[in-house]
């Protein structure tokens, strides 16, 4: 009998501990959570510092990944999301700092043991990119399917392309809509808005100042907006051979702090989060410098984003 009692006690504690991690995830937290996975704008990879752009929204513990810059798989793991829980992916536009790990992230989920289908949403080009990724890894994939008894990953991803703004997807927990922003020379560049039951979250994507974005972000609980710091850009381009062209691109395609403040103020968002910092790898720029221009127009709380910060 003592041995049976020990067994029962062991079984009880085992089942309790199996429940605990999930309880720990959900307890005391909002149903809708925002975690910045990568906050550095631009495609250059540094030895240290901010990771490339990606934002995670968890709605009732289901992950919605917006953009897949280099390193997104590792950042998802660092945020506590097992890769085989990947479910929804959204791409704002086809600059590589937003999509270079789109294919690899899905592959990493598949190789971890993907339990369900992934739905991927983004502007035109996404389907072709998905097919091209599978061509790139054709040999590996077609070796592993029979050799390791795996499902065909090409049947586990469903691509939803769009070429105009509107409702992108909707389920019982959230409605996702898109808004066409201005990011020349790319025409198809979008912001996303997630309306969940408890919170609404807007992610600007990459954009120049578009006053109408304030309407799209109206009343949002959280606005994650890109930002470019002009003195930092001047210092950056001085060091580069393509300085003139790069400066022109940055000035026409991104948003200065004052204009981020104007958008947030006009939209009346509850919290403004700065992310996609340009330049994102200059440690001499302080949080105060990133936010001082914004504060001239927006009087609400401003969060200077950091990798893996939860809002
Ligand atoms: Zn970008
Ligand atoms: Zn871009």
């Amino acid at each position: 009998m003592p041995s049976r009692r020990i067994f029962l006690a062991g079984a009880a504690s085992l089942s309790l501990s199996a429940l605990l991690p999930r309880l720990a995830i959900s307890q005391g937290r909002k149903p809708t959570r925002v975690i910045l996975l990568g906050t550095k704008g631009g495609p250059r990879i540094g030895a240290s510092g901010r990771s490339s752009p990606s934002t995670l929204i968890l709605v009732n513990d289901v992950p919605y990944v917006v953009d897949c810059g280099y390193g997104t798989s590792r950042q998802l793991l660092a945020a506590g999301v097992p890769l085989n829980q990947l479910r929804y992916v959204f791409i704002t536009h086809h600059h590589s700092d937003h999509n270079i790990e789109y294919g690899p992230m899905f592959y990493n989920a598949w190789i971890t043991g993907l339990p369900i289908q992934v739905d991927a949403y983004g502007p035109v080009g996404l389907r072709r990119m998905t097919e091209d990724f599978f061509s790139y890894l054709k040999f590996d994939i077609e070796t592993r399917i029979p050799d390791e008894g795996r499902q065909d990953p090409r049947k586990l991803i469903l691509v939803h392309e769009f070429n105009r703004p509107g409702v992108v997807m909707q389920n019982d927990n959230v409605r996702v809509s898109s808004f066409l922003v201005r990011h020349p020379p790319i025409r198809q560049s979008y912001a996303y808005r997630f309306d969940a039951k408890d919170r609404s979250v807007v992610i600007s994507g990459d954009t120049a100042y578009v006053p109408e974005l304030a309407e799209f972000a109206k009343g949002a609980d959280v606005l994650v907006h890109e930002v470019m710091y002009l003195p930092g850009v001047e210092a950056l381009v001085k060091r580069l051979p393509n300085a003139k062209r790069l400066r022109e691109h940055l000035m026409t395609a991104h948003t200065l702090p004052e204009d981020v403040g104007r958008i947030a103020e006009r939209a009346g968002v509850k919290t403004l989060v700065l992310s996609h910092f340009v330049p994102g790898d200059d440690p001499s720029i302080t949080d105060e410098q990133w936010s001082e221009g914004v504060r001239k127009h927006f009087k609400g709380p401003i969060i200077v984003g950091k990798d893996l910060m939860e809002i």
Side-chain angles (χ1 to χ4, degrees):
M1 284 310 281
S3 65
R4 178 171 160 76
R5 206 159 54 228
I6 288 163
F7 170 75
L8 285 174
S13 67
L14 191 76
S15 62
L16 187 65
S17 66
L19 281 171
L20 277 176
R22 191 167 173 80
L23 287 175
I25 285 172
S26 306
Q27 219 165 36
R29 286 184 165 154
K30 297 182 178 78
T32 301
R33 301 161 58 197
V34 181
I35 300 176
L36 307 176
L37 298 181
T39 55
K40 174 191 173 294
R44 274 176 300 120
I45 306 300
S48 61
R50 298 176 184 277
S51 191
S52 295
S54 184
T55 306
L56 170 67
I57 299 173
L58 287 159
V59 184
N60 300 328
D61 291 337
V62 174
Y64 298 70
V65 179
V66 181
D67 285 331
C68 308
Y70 188 81
T72 299
S73 305
R74 284 218 176 272
Q75 291 299 90
L76 269 174
L77 289 170
V81 177
L83 292 177
N84 63 355
Q85 285 186 15
L86 188 67
R87 181 67 188 87
Y88 299 105
V89 180
F90 299 82
I91 300 294
T92 57
H93 67 297
H94 293 303
H95 262 147
S96 66
D97 53 325
H98 298 257
N99 68 15
I100 203 167
E101 203 162 316
Y102 163 73
M105 179 179 70
F106 174 76
Y107 180 93
N108 291 335
W110 172 66
I111 214 73
T112 309
L114 194 68
I116 42 167
Q117 182 174 274
V118 167
D119 285 277
Y121 303 84
V124 168
L126 189 64
R127 181 164 291 112
R128 176 72 192 271
M129 199 172 67
T130 309
E131 289 164 4
D132 286 349
F133 175 74
F134 288 130
S135 301
Y136 178 78
L137 279 186
K138 189 176 185 347
F139 176 81
D140 173 274
I141 288 167
E142 292 183 355
T143 301
R144 291 188 195 278
I145 291 170
D147 189 43
E148 299 176 10
R150 293 181 183 276
Q151 282 181 274
D152 189 335
R154 293 164 288 207
K155 294 179 180 148
L156 296 173
I157 188 162
L158 199 59
V159 177
H160 310 261
E161 272 189 354
F162 55 87
N163 61 7
R164 58 176 65 90
V167 174
V168 172
M169 66 88 72
Q170 188 158 13
N171 60 27
D172 290 345
N173 296 310
V174 67
R175 187 184 65 223
V176 184
S177 40
S178 69
F179 173 79
L180 188 67
V181 290
R182 194 176 304 147
H183 191 47
I186 293 178
R187 291 210 180 121
Q188 294 280 315
S189 188
Y190 291 89
Y192 286 112
R193 178 176 181 130
F194 290 72
D195 287 295
K197 292 188 178 79
D198 60 322
R199 280 176 120 186
S200 50
V201 180
V202 175
I203 295 172
S204 73
D206 282 13
T207 182
Y209 177 47
V210 183
E212 298 78 19
L213 181 59
E215 285 306 308
F216 181 68
K218 201 87 190 168
D221 294 289
V222 179
L223 169 62
V224 180
H225 202 294
E226 72 128 84
V227 65
M228 174 175 66
Y229 183 63
L230 194 53
V233 168
E234 303 290 9
L236 168 76
V237 299
K238 242 181 243 170
R239 302 193 294 266
L240 300 172
N242 58 340
K244 187 168 175 291
R245 201 62 209 93
L246 184 63
R247 187 183 188 283
E248 279 170 19
H249 160 74
L250 292 172
M251 291 306 291
T252 54
H254 294 285
T255 307
L256 294 169
E258 287 76 7
D259 291 331
V260 177
R262 286 187 177 97
I263 295 283
E265 184 59 28
R266 199 174 309 156
V269 298
K270 294 203 179 73
T271 300
L272 172 65
V273 181
L274 302 180
S275 189
H276 194 285
F277 296 92
V278 177
D281 52 4
D282 183 345
S284 74
I285 307 172
T286 64
D287 286 5
E288 182 50 35
Q289 286 172 312
W290 282 116
S291 53
E292 64 184 351
V294 181
R295 200 169 290 118
K296 286 180 195 161
H297 301 282
F298 181 63
K299 307 303 174 201
I302 302 166
I303 295 173
V304 179
K306 308 273 188 309
D307 290 2
L308 299 175
M309 185 184 259
E310 175 166 351
I311 296 111

